[in-house]
Amino acid sequence: MKPAGTLRRVSDFSDFSRGHGLRELLCQAGQPSHVRISPDGQHLLVLQKSRPPPLPRLVAFQRHGIAGADLERNWQPPQPALVGLLFLQSPAAPGSWVLAIVWEHGRTEVWHFVVAVGWQLLQTLELCQGARARIVSVCSQGTSLVWCEERPPLDAHSGVSKCAFRFCVCSRALEVGEQGVQLGTVRIVLHNSPEYQVLASPKHIFLVPAAASFATTSKFLLIWHPEKAKLTIAAPSAGFVHSKVLRSSSESDFRKLLLGSVGVLAGLAPLDIHTSAVSSSGGLLLVSTEGAVSMVEPDGTQRHVFDLEEAALARGSPVQLKTFGSILACVLAGVLYLVNLNSGRLIEKKILSMKEMHFLESPGEEDSIQLITQTGIYSFSFSKPEDSSRPEPCLVDMVFEEACRYYQRRSLSSSKLTVEKLKKGGVFQAPVALAAILQHSLCQKQKPARDLQDTYAKLLSTMSLELQSYMSLELLKTCVVCAPESEVESYCEELVEQEVSRVLHSDMDKDSLAYLNSIFASFPKAAWKATRSCLQLQQNGDGLLVARATPEVWKKVLGGLQQDEVGQNGVAPLFELICSSFLRFKPKWLPSFVELTQQYISISWAYSSKEGPEGRVPLYKRALGVLARKSKRSEADEELELELLLCSKRPKAVLQALHLLIRLKRWQRVVEVAEKFSKLSPLLNKEIFTTLLAEFAQHRELDPYLAVLWPLCPAELTASDILTVVLQHLPRSQEDPAPFSSEASQLTVGLLKPLLQRVVQRPCAQDEMYSDALQSPTFPPPAPPREH
């Protein structure tokens, strides 16, 4: 049963001093632009900025029973614009606070409320160090102020790009003690930057680019971690990009910060931000111009929460955001949306009768939503259903529907995925919603343990295998943590083997491939053992490599995503990953592995099929690409390159290996390769013999092997062809040699004589054609008998 939300008025301003004046102030034509409540909930501050001309006015109201002077401030021209009204913690006493009023030119007034005395001005300070500085955004975190200030260039004729990067993000501690207010030293967080809006969470500062920023710098957010002095670059469309610890002021330069990420950021789309706010959990809430509400976590990750009505945003209606515990409250065009932050589900949609309203903090009541309007302060709460032990009827279906949407977006099939198909398929995953359900149920300690089984019996029965795997993983993690160092390696190998096996037996997509890349990079030795186990690689009695992997695993290895599909983001295809592992731990096995893969391809895919892995880039070339990426080459790598070329048995690869051997002057191996691969095809035999004949004409290195080379001469080569090849490749000398030269390097007729005799004495094709007729005992044949 869905909980019913009720809106009740908790104050009509009669419990505030000068409550009638507060009501009149809120009802004036120039509506208040800022309403704040003090951390202790006893003071209400109303800031008016829209009084014509722009003359800001600040009025403070306190609840009855708190005696003291009131605070009412009016500022006359030429007073600069007011940029911040902030509450800061005061270390003087636990729970105490001060009010900081910050102006555009950096002047700051610090006020403190004393019981029975009233509001007192403690001190007026100057935040900025430069007289020409102008604050554009300010926030507070604990006892510190963080702001973004504009520092105009000294040269009035500076270029547009230099003027765009004239802002600086600074931080400064503000401490209130017995001797007054003290400002700490200015800490430069970022300089030479574009304009940013600074938003503070309890432990982080979000830097959101201003709407007027350049397109190149409005593609990402910055997240500052004060305790670690670290800046994180995050793009909502790409997640975490880069993180850097700022050890010195020189590292705080905006342009230097982006040097290592320019290539990644260049391909991103500009940010689409209509409204931004910080949640109570420390994340950043963003609303796009299309109404999509998302949450950016402090580590740079982003998740979608909810979609508002785009039509209301198109009309220019402002959006107000506030989180109260696990509930997100949004007000848009007079409509209040209440959304569960964990599941993204709409809890309540309520049309408000009041024209103007503001959210208030709820001290001590995290799950209470408080609104202030012209008629009073209202609280929105939920009434529990009568039978609270029963779950909402649509809860289980909602989880399955979310999983359907998740898989439908990633499916290549045109058929629609239904809940029934998902339950039967055994591919259910909805981790966010599942975690919210389990967390919500486990937190209700007043219920007996069996209620979880009774409440979600249907859901748990469907997910039993997934939960068992999760518990096994948790058990293994516990064993790793508690085990001695000598056993940790074996546990890691077991975990990696299970993960590699799981991925190889599931659908392979880009995310799975990136996950495998991270496993091979983090645990190379364990990943190598897992690969051997999954492919069942071993040597037989003859020393040959054999594999007993299933056809499904082979198709994942060979028929998965290739380099042109995974992109240039550093993710290697699975075949390249395995080749890298062979190259690192067992390089002598790599040619045999490539030969095994080619044997499997010849069985599973048709010859030259474009769907198979050989239809794009041959496997031996992919393996050679892995070998080429080694930083240092050795003689063993050259031998490995030869073996990879030869194991492919492709004519071009064999000829490439032959030329490589000739370049290395390994003549014995040249002859062995020629003798072995000339038998594959007549065309390859002719190419090999012609290549070696050309080498024979140039030097005398092949003379000891002529007895083996001459029998390789193709049948179609004539004596004229042989002499043509020899004459074309004879080495050129400056002087014409004598007919009978004594130089040992010169080619003589005597060396060619055995080959020419072999070719001349070989019967020609016409002789073979008429040999039967010429060898007949009677010629011409006798006439056939006459018929009488």
Side-chain angles (χ1 to χ4, degrees):
M1 183 181 297
K2 186 176 180 180
T6 58
L7 190 66
R8 61 187 182 88
R9 188 166 68 175
V10 296
S11 173
D12 58 356
F13 302 137
S14 60
D15 55 337
F16 282 89
S17 63
R18 301 182 298 153
H20 181 73
L22 174 59
R23 188 179 296 107
E24 288 182 349
L25 185 61
L26 294 174
C27 292
Q28 287 180 4
Q31 294 296 335
S33 59
H34 210 88
V35 179
R36 296 289 302 272
I37 192 169
S38 63
D40 57 8
Q42 301 299 316
H43 303 269
L44 195 65
L45 284 78
V46 180
L47 173 64
Q48 283 185 306
K49 288 185 177 180
S50 56
R51 300 172 64 215
L55 304 175
R57 180 189 180 194
L58 175 63
V59 185
F61 302 88
Q62 55 258 20
R63 294 185 185 273
H64 286 305
I66 304 178
D70 299 325
L71 174 64
E72 183 169 349
R73 293 283 309 224
N74 291 276
W75 293 278
Q76 301 296 328
Q79 183 74 23
L82 194 66
V83 293
L85 190 66
L86 309 168
F87 291 103
L88 286 85
Q89 297 176 4
S90 174
S96 61
W97 49 268
V98 294
L99 171 67
I101 305 172
V102 184
W103 279 274
E104 188 179 58
H105 64 329
R107 180 165 295 176
T108 302
E109 290 185 0
V110 181
W111 291 78
H112 181 54
F113 185 84
V114 180
V115 179
V117 177
W119 288 95
Q120 290 182 335
L121 177 63
L122 294 181
Q123 201 164 341
T124 301
L125 307 167
E126 294 292 340
L127 278 184
C128 304
Q129 291 181 327
R132 303 174 66 224
R134 182 179 69 90
I135 296 178
V136 294
S137 177
V138 64
C139 65
S140 64
Q141 186 185 64
T143 60
S144 297
L145 290 173
V146 182
W147 70 92
C148 177
E149 67 177 44
E150 180 185 9
R151 294 181 174 180
L154 297 176
D155 186 5
H157 302 284
S158 299
V160 177
S161 60
K162 187 173 182 180
C163 291
F165 298 96
R166 64 183 184 273
F167 293 87
C168 180
V169 179
C170 309
S171 172
R172 202 166 188 179
L174 191 150
E175 297 181 358
V176 181
E178 296 179 355
Q179 299 179 355
V181 182
Q182 293 183 352
L183 276 177
T185 57
V186 176
R187 180 181 183 184
I188 304 297
V189 179
L190 196 66
H191 61 89
N192 294 332
S193 74
E195 182 180 352
Y196 279 105
Q197 178 191 6
V198 291
L199 299 171
S201 72
K203 293 185 178 180
H204 308 87
I205 303 293
F206 293 94
L207 278 65
V208 182
S213 296
F214 274 56
T216 53
T217 59
S218 61
K219 298 180 178 182
F220 54 89
L221 307 168
L222 295 178
I223 306 171
W224 182 45
H225 310 256
E227 294 181 355
K228 301 178 182 179
K230 182 175 69 173
L231 263 176
T232 298
I233 304 174
S237 60
F240 172 84
V241 176
H242 179 62
S243 184
K244 184 177 183 181
V245 177
L246 308 177
R247 297 183 178 87
S248 63
S249 58
S250 61
E251 296 180 348
S252 301
D253 187 271
F254 177 78
R255 299 176 187 181
K256 292 182 179 179
L257 179 68
L258 300 185
L259 280 180
S261 310
V262 173
V264 178
L265 298 174
L268 301 179
L271 296 177
D272 180 16
I273 300 177
H274 180 280
T275 306
S276 58
V278 177
S279 69
S280 58
S281 62
L284 178 66
L285 291 166
L286 297 177
V287 181
S288 69
T289 54
E290 297 180 353
V293 183
S294 57
M295 172 83 81
V296 179
E297 300 294 344
D299 59 0
T301 58
Q302 182 201 20
R303 63 182 178 91
H304 178 263
V305 178
F306 186 68
D307 288 317
L308 296 171
E309 296 178 6
E310 185 178 355
L313 283 173
R315 293 193 295 269
S317 301
V319 182
Q320 294 190 56
L321 302 173
K322 196 72 178 176
T323 57
F324 300 86
S326 61
I327 298 174
L328 168 64
C330 304
V331 173
L332 172 62
V335 180
L336 173 64
Y337 298 86
L338 300 177
V339 181
N340 189 314
L341 273 175
N342 295 325
S343 63
R345 188 180 177 207
L346 180 65
I347 301 174
E348 186 93 8
K349 180 180 178 182
K350 199 173 189 67
I351 299 177
L352 303 176
S353 58
M354 57 282 294
K355 183 179 179 182
E356 187 79 18
M357 57 79 59
H358 298 272
F359 287 117
L360 291 179
E361 300 287 349
S362 304
E365 299 180 10
E366 190 184 39
D367 294 328
S368 173
I369 301 174
Q370 287 197 354
L371 316 170
I372 182 171
T373 69
Q374 300 170 357
T375 59
I377 299 176
Y378 293 81
S379 177
F380 195 93
S381 59
F382 297 102
S383 59
K384 294 184 179 180
E386 295 179 1
D387 186 7
S388 60
S389 63
R390 296 183 57 192
E392 301 173 16
C394 63
L395 183 57
V396 174
D397 292 335
M398 182 202 71
V399 176
F400 279 103
E401 287 169 4
E402 179 188 344
C404 277
R405 290 194 297 270
Y406 177 86
Y407 285 105
Q408 191 71 60
R409 290 195 302 268
R410 290 156 176 80
S411 175
L412 298 177
S413 175
S414 58
S415 60
K416 186 177 180 180
L417 184 63
T418 62
V419 173
E420 289 71 20
K421 290 182 181 178
L422 192 62
K423 291 179 179 179
K424 293 178 182 179
V427 291
F428 171 71
Q429 281 184 353
V432 175
L434 174 66
I437 291 172
L438 296 180
Q439 181 182 14
H440 173 73
S441 302
L442 293 173
C443 287
Q444 296 178 349
K445 297 180 179 179
Q446 65 273 17
K447 293 184 180 181
R450 60 181 178 83
D451 282 356
L452 182 61
Q453 294 286 344
D454 298 338
T455 304
Y456 301 113
K458 186 177 180 181
L459 181 63
L460 291 174
S461 63
T462 306
M463 299 193 61
S464 59
L465 293 178
E466 282 78 2
L467 290 175
Q468 288 176 11
S469 300
Y470 174 76
M471 294 304 296
S472 299
L473 180 61
E474 288 298 314
L475 179 61
L476 183 57
K477 286 165 62 178
T478 304
C479 293
V480 171
V481 172
C482 301
E485 293 185 5
S486 58
E487 299 179 7
V488 169
E489 185 176 356
S490 62
Y491 283 121
C492 288
E493 290 177 359
E494 180 184 350
L495 178 59
V496 170
E497 182 176 346
Q498 290 182 9
E499 282 297 280
V500 172
S501 176
R502 181 186 64 81
V503 175
L504 288 180
H505 288 85
S506 61
D507 294 335
M508 185 70 68
D509 55 10
K510 291 183 180 180
D511 294 336
S512 302
L513 193 55
Y515 178 51
L516 276 180
N517 273 257
S518 65
I519 290 178
F520 274 75
S522 303
F523 309 98
K525 188 175 180 181
W528 160 246
K529 291 184 178 181
T531 302
R532 289 185 58 180
S533 175
C534 293
L535 297 178
Q536 300 185 41
L537 292 170
Q538 55 186 351
Q539 284 183 310
N540 59 10
D542 299 330
L544 299 176
L545 187 68
V546 294
R548 295 182 176 85
T550 61
E552 290 76 14
V553 174
W554 272 120
K555 286 183 179 180
K556 296 291 192 315
V557 173
L558 303 176
L561 301 171
Q562 296 194 19
Q563 194 64 51
D564 56 345
E565 295 174 315
V566 299
Q568 303 297 327
N569 56 353
V571 177
L574 182 55
F575 178 76
E576 276 77 356
L577 272 182
I578 296 177
C579 287
S580 300
S581 198
F582 269 101
L583 196 59
R584 181 169 182 175
F585 296 101
K586 206 74 173 178
K588 292 183 179 180
W589 283 12
L590 181 57
S592 301
F593 171 71
V594 175
E595 197 168 1
L596 277 176
T597 58
Q598 292 176 152
Q599 292 174 7
Y600 177 78
I601 288 172
S602 63
I603 299 173
S604 303
W605 279 282
Y607 179 72
S608 72
S609 172
K610 291 185 178 180
E611 296 179 357
E614 290 280 292
R616 299 179 184 177
V617 180
L619 293 179
Y620 82 93
K621 285 190 176 181
R622 295 171 64 181
L624 286 173
V626 175
L627 179 61
R629 285 192 285 270
K630 286 190 66 175
S631 57
K632 295 182 180 179
R633 296 293 297 271
S634 60
E635 293 183 2
D637 294 333
E638 292 180 351
E639 184 66 28
L640 193 58
E641 182 179 354
L642 284 170
E643 293 297 334
L644 288 173
L645 290 169
L646 296 175
C647 76
S648 69
K649 297 180 182 178
R650 288 176 171 249
K652 289 184 179 180
V654 172
L655 289 174
Q656 185 179 347
L658 192 66
H659 285 291
L660 180 59
L661 287 170
I662 291 172
R663 189 170 70 249
L664 296 175
K665 298 183 179 182
R666 298 173 57 181
W667 306 113
Q668 178 69 34
R669 187 73 190 280
V670 167
V671 175
E672 293 174 357
V673 169
E675 191 176 16
K676 178 179 179 181
F677 290 94
S678 292
K679 303 173 184 178
L680 293 181
S681 70
L683 184 60
L684 181 59
N685 181 20
K686 183 178 180 180
E687 291 288 340
I688 291 175
F689 184 79
T690 304
T691 300
L692 297 184
L693 186 60
E695 289 294 322
F696 166 75
Q698 298 177 41
H699 51 75
R700 307 276 55 82
E701 301 290 348
L702 287 173
D703 290 357
Y705 310 101
L706 296 181
V708 180
L709 292 181
W710 294 157
L712 301 180
C713 180
E716 63 269 18
L717 277 186
T718 63
S720 176
D721 297 333
I722 292 173
L723 291 174
T724 301
V725 173
V726 170
L727 291 175
Q728 287 176 348
H729 293 87
L730 280 175
R732 295 183 180 181
S733 59
Q734 295 180 353
E735 299 179 359
D736 295 334
F740 302 97
S741 175
S742 60
E743 294 184 15
S745 62
Q746 293 293 331
L747 176 63
T748 63
V749 177
L751 293 173
L752 271 176
K753 183 178 179 180
L755 175 62
L756 295 175
Q757 285 180 340
R758 186 184 187 90
V759 173
V760 171
Q761 294 174 1
R762 188 167 50 200
C764 65
Q766 291 183 348
D767 294 342
E768 292 180 358
M769 187 184 302
Y770 298 109
S771 61
D772 293 339
L774 295 174
Q775 295 176 6
S776 177
T778 58
F779 186 81
R786 296 173 179 265
E787 293 183 3
H788 298 282

